[in-house]
């Protein structure tokens, strides 16, 4: 993954509603250049056939995602 850390993303930074971010599509294309077998997963919740991509906790939601690059898996839960 160290190859990814060396990429200068400055020309691809976008701003929207006061936030600065990288386009997921652009970033994922860069990942696939380094590891064509890379994988991302958005975990789902709920009964089979009625799954949702988030877990509701009152009026808030939690999303659980995993990314595997060069055989290393990282997971994150995002509110």
């Amino acid at each position: 993954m160290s190859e990814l850390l060396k990429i200068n993303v400055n020309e691809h930074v976008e701003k929207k509603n006061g936030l600065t971010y990288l386009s997921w599509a652009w970033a994922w294309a860069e990942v696939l250049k380094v590891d064509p077998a890379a994988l991302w997963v958005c975990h789902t919740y709920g009964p089979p056939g009625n799954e949702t991509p988030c877990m509701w906790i009152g009026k808030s939601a939690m999303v659980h995602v995993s990314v595997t690059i060069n055989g290393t898996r990282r997971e994150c839960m995002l509110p």
Side-chain angles (χ1 to χ4, degrees):
M1 279 197 267
S2 62
E3 308 101 283
L4 292 171
L5 296 174
K6 295 175 185 174
I7 297 173
N8 183 343
V9 301
N10 293 339
E11 293 179 22
H12 304 282
V13 171
E14 300 179 35
K15 292 184 183 268
K16 186 175 183 180
N17 298 327
L19 300 173
T20 303
Y21 67 97
L22 285 175
S23 154
W24 173 260
W26 181 84
W28 191 248
E30 293 300 305
V31 167
L32 292 176
K33 288 177 188 176
V34 172
D35 178 10
L39 173 69
W40 65 268
V41 175
C42 179
H43 301 273
T44 57
Y45 300 90
N50 198 26
E51 301 93 346
T52 61
C54 62
M55 174 192 332
W56 288 97
I57 305 165
K59 293 182 180 180
S60 297
M62 186 75 71
V63 176
H64 179 192
V65 295
S66 306
V67 177
T68 303
I69 303 170
N70 291 329
T72 299
R73 179 176 166 151
R74 300 280 190 248
E75 296 192 35
C76 190
M77 294 192 80
L78 307 163

